[in-house]
Amino acid sequence: DDTEEAQVITETIVEKVELEITDYQLLYNKLYTVASECNKSLVTVTGVKSDIDWFNNPYESKGQVSGLIIADNGKSLLILADKKAVEEAEMINITFSDGTQAKAELVGTDTTTGLAVISVSYELIDQNTLNLVSLAKLGSSNAVSLPGSPVIAIGSPMGNRGSIAYGMLTSVGNTINVVDNAYKTMTTDIYGSTKAGGVIANMKGEVIGIINMNYNQETTANLITALGITELKKTIEKLSNSKQIAYLGIFGIDVTQQANEELGVPYGAYVTDISIDSPAMQHVIQSGDV
């Protein structure tokens, strides 16, 4: 047999690349480009209400939070914000990313999540501003690959309007039990303000979390934490359509397969506690019920 076995020789060439300061700057420039696009869907929401001081002098108090443009109903822009700044406000002002302002109206609030939706009529928005702003792109907060992913915090993560911070997600599976619901929190390694607001976005510029520092532990009080956007979408949709959020008034956990098989607990929501004067209490629902 004259056939000779061919010997394949693979040559590996390793090129040594030295990174410069300009490469580091280029990376941050690209991150800032993503953040800038996200910022087009962010606004500053200012709630104004009148009050009286100790000497019976009238004055105006203002509460400011970051807002997210979530929808366009053909007549107005709908904006998601923290309800604490707008719920009892006599007047609501919106400041867009280009600095222009417009008056807004409250559409609905949700006590459980602390969120509110407000609307701004097209008639009150300058056309140049309308051309500049954009609706937020909502991503998913349920992907198992999220921990360790790079993220951008925008809005007011440092406590002041327009601040930006970069970091990564450290965990996404922490669950907080609230009245009639449970939500997953997303924790980052970004050190921010305990009064931080705004959103968490991924590298595609998609919003994956709404910053909420209310559930942080004392040891992690300054780490930027958010509620996952996926579990908030139904609430946001109801608020945007002026639908009331059903209220029962229970705290509970899902009955697991193990509890069902070993303890005979029927599947459902196991009640761990109830709110005082809630419909649940009025209808004699109590801890231990399913």
Side-chain angles (χ1 to χ4, degrees), residues 171-175 184-186:
S171 66
V172 296
N174 297 326
T175 301
K184 290 182 180 179
T185 59
M186 315 174 73

Side-chain angles (χ1 to χ4, degrees), residues 104-276:
E105 295 182 355
L106 182 64
V107 176
T109 63
D110 176 36
T111 303
T112 302
T113 59
L115 295 175
V117 168
I118 55 182
S119 68
V120 185
S121 172
Y122 280 160
E123 297 177 354
L124 302 177
I125 308 174
D126 183 80
Q127 187 58 49
N128 291 330
T129 300
L130 276 175
N131 294 337
L132 173 67
V133 301
S134 61
L135 300 182
K137 295 186 293 183
L138 303 184
S140 172
S141 57
N142 282 345
V144 294
S145 58
L146 280 177
S149 301
V151 291
I152 305 173
I154 54 178
S156 53
M158 299 300 139
N160 54 300
R161 174 188 168 193
S163 52
I164 301 173
Y166 309 112
M168 72 173 186
L169 289 176
T170 55
S171 66
V172 296
N174 297 326
T175 301
I176 55 169
N177 289 312
V178 294
V179 178
D180 295 341
N181 220 321
Y183 295 98
K184 290 182 180 179
T185 59
M186 315 174 73
T187 306
T188 73
D189 63 352
I190 301 172
Y191 190 90
S193 168
T194 55
K195 298 181 180 180
V199 300
I200 299 292
N202 60 22
M203 295 296 100
K204 297 179 182 179
E206 298 170 335
V207 174
I208 59 174
I210 305 296
I211 294 176
N212 188 316
M213 307 292 283
N214 295 331
Y215 304 102
N216 285 20
Q217 300 296 321
E218 184 178 350
T219 54
T220 58
N222 286 89
L223 291 182
I224 297 298
T225 304
L227 296 179
I229 194 66
T230 299
E231 294 165 314
L232 293 175
K233 286 181 179 178
K234 288 184 179 179
T235 297
I236 294 172
E237 182 180 354
K238 288 183 178 180
L239 290 176
S240 300
N241 290 292
S242 301
K243 294 182 178 179
Q244 291 186 334
I245 307 297
Y247 173 58
L248 179 59
I250 68 168
F251 293 85
I253 57 175
D254 290 334
V255 174
T256 63
Q257 182 178 356
Q258 182 179 6
N260 174 262
E261 295 177 351
E262 297 182 5
L263 302 176
V265 181
Y267 285 117
Y270 182 86
V271 179
T272 59
D273 201 0
I274 58 172
S275 296
I276 301 298

Side-chain angles (χ1 to χ4, degrees), residues 34-83:
V34 177
S36 296
E37 284 300 310
C38 290
N39 202 47
K40 292 180 181 179
S41 62
L42 283 173
V43 300
T44 299
V45 180
T46 304
V48 182
K49 63 178 180 179
S50 301
D51 213 334
I52 303 293
D53 64 17
W54 288 356
F55 304 100
N56 290 324
N57 296 316
Y59 71 96
E60 287 187 344
S61 61
K62 298 181 179 180
Q64 275 194 347
V65 295
S66 294
L68 183 69
I69 304 174
I70 54 170
D72 175 353
N73 63 12
K75 297 181 180 179
S76 58
L77 294 178
L78 298 179
I79 298 168
L80 184 71
D82 193 318
K83 79 179 185 70

